[in-house]
């Protein structure tokens, strides 16, 4: 597919002039356009870029009933020379298709994904915020669009990409509570797929944690509630004995692109890493003995978010001051410098669109 197959209808009413870029909140403002392509008769057809607008659908649209939908989250940044840098779009494309497979949805060809993404981000490039800590968040997603309420995979789908200028997901570090009643995902389920159902399952426990005064929770395994899985909407890492500990990927853990980037950089910078099951008991012991040097979440929206307090077994444990957390701070700087084009992109992560 070449770019001239994407029909482009530009908005005549840009919202950019009325957008306050100095006061961005995560996920509240959307750029002017969106990319849309339909899956019908077993093929992707009619790719177009249109003004950002509402979708119309039948009340019987199958996604509304059975949740056949997947999404991704990526970020674009502006380099000092004006080029646009999109971070690891191919890794996100791969994960999107893994999610699609699990949800019985059609895969998106790489060329279609990249062409739609490139044309959209080029057209709305003025929406990439320049303020430090801000970026353009890119939300590709797909949903089942059959007008049919029998339970079966839909035969039609829409794949859409829209973008949103954002600041950080969390304002600073977070207090978390170890969750020992609810689970985010079970082995053999859909936890590794980026699909709405996993987030829906998280809402009640997250709301209850918030009511108790914690920003988020630490998910534990579905069998015993004894091993850590994720943190809120992020992957989870600890530092003990100058070693980064993180749970290994499994069917109940999302394969975070930021997780992979942090582990790759940590390895490159010579830090010790252990990808293994991490028990709640071992972390509580480290907390009791003041051996827990760091705990943080990783994700596209949140990048690295430090955990300042962990609640477990009726007790609040304070973690070391953020400025003492040498490893995660160094990794965050290394990652951001690559994303912003300030450091050598030695792993070939940035997709560059020349200004
Ligand atoms: C992301 O980091 O992109 C996420 O998936 C979090 C999101 C649900 C806001």
């Amino acid at each position: 597919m070449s770019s001239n197959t994407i029909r482009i209808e530009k908005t005549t009413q840009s919202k950019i002039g009325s957008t306050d870029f100095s006061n961005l909140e995560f996920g509240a403002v959307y750029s002017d356009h969106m990319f849309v392509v339909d899956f019908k008769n077993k093929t992707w057809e009619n790719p177009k870029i249109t003004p950002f607008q509402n979708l119309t659908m039948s009340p019987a649209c199958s996604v509304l009933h059975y949740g056949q939908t997947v999404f991704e989250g990526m970020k674009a940044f502006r380099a000092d020379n004006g080029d646009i840098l999109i971070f690891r779009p191919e890794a996100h494309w791969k994960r999107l298709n893994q999610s699609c497979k699990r949800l019985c949805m059609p895969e998106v060809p790489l060329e279609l994904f990249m062409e739609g993404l490139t044309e959209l981000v080029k057209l709305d490039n003025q929406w990439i915020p320049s303020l430090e800590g801000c970026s353009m968040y890119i939300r590709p997603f797909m949903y089942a669009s059959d007008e049919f309420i029998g339970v079966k995979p839909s035969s039609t789908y829409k794949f859409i990409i829209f973008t949103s200028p954002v600041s950080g997901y969390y304002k600073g570090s977070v207090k978390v509570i170890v969750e020992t009643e609810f689970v985010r995902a079970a082995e053999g389920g859909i936890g590794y797929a980026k699909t709405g159902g996993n987030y829906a399952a998280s809402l009640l426990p997250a709301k209850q944690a918030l009511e108790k005064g914690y920003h988020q929770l630490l998910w534990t395994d579905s069998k015993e509630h004894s091993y850590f899985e994720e943190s809120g909407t992020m992957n989870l890492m600890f530092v003990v004995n100058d070693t980064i500990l993180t749970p290994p990927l499994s069917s109940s853990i999302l394969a975070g692109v930021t997780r992979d980037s942090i582990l790759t950089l940590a390895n490159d910078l010579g830090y010790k890493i252990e990808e293994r099951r991490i028990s709640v008991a071992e972390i509580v012991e480290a907390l009791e003995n003041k051996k827990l040097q760091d705990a943080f979440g990783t994700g596209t929206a949140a990048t690295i978010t430090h955990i300042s307090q962990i609640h477990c077994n009726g007790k609040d444990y304070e973690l070391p001051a953020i400025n003492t957390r040498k490893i995660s701070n160094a990794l965050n700087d290394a990652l951001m410098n690559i994303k912003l084009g300030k450091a050598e992109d030695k792993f070939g992560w940035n997709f560059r669109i020349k200004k």
Side-chain angles (χ1 to χ4, degrees), residues 231-251:
S231 169
T233 59
M234 301 177 285
N235 293 112
L236 176 61
M237 302 197 182
F238 296 102
V239 179
V240 179
N241 284 334
D242 289 328
T243 302
I244 300 169
L245 311 178
T246 196
L249 295 180
S250 72
S251 59

Side-chain angles (χ1 to χ4, degrees), residues 8 19 38 120 148 187 198 207 242 244 275 278 355:
I8 298 183
T19 301
D38 295 309
L120 179 69
F148 183 72
E187 261 177 57
N198 291 321
K207 178 170 169 270
D242 289 328
I244 300 169
E275 271 185 88
I278 302 159
K355 68 170 178 194

Side-chain angles (χ1 to χ4, degrees), residues 98-99 102-103 184 190-195 198-199 251 254:
Q98 276 159 8
S99 302
R102 180 63 181 86
L103 275 286
R184 173 188 169 273
I190 54 172
Y192 73 94
K194 204 158 175 67
T195 181
N198 291 321
Y199 296 81
S251 59
L254 187 80

Side-chain angles (χ1 to χ4, degrees), residues 244 261-273 327 331:
I244 300 169
S261 308
I262 289 293
L263 294 180
T264 304
L265 285 171
N267 191 40
D268 190 55
L269 292 171
Y271 295 122
K272 285 173 276 178
I273 302 169
I327 297 180
L331 289 168

Side-chain angles (χ1 to χ4, degrees), residues 278-289:
I278 302 159
S279 72
V280 175
E282 125 180 46
I283 293 302
V284 168
E285 194 186 325
L287 283 163
E288 290 282 352
N289 299 327

Side-chain angles (χ1 to χ4, degrees), residues 26 71-74 92 95 137-139 169 194 199 233-234 254 258 298-303:
F26 183 92
F71 71 95
E72 275 300 318
M74 292 186 274
H92 286 279
R95 188 175 64 181
Y137 186 77
I138 303 169
R139 173 54 63 90
Y169 193 74
K194 204 158 175 67
Y199 296 81
T233 59
M234 301 177 285
L254 187 80
T258 308
T298 65
T300 295
T303 317

Side-chain angles (χ1 to χ4, degrees), residues 177 179-184 196-219 232-233:
I177 182 164
E179 178 59 62
T180 53
E181 181 190 353
F182 296 104
V183 291
R184 173 188 169 273
N198 291 321
Y199 296 81
S202 76
L203 295 178
L204 178 64
K207 178 170 169 270
Q208 292 184 354
L210 204 60
E211 283 162 1
K212 291 180 198 149
Y214 302 92
H215 300 100
Q216 259 301 348
L217 27 86
L218 298 186
W219 296 109
T233 59

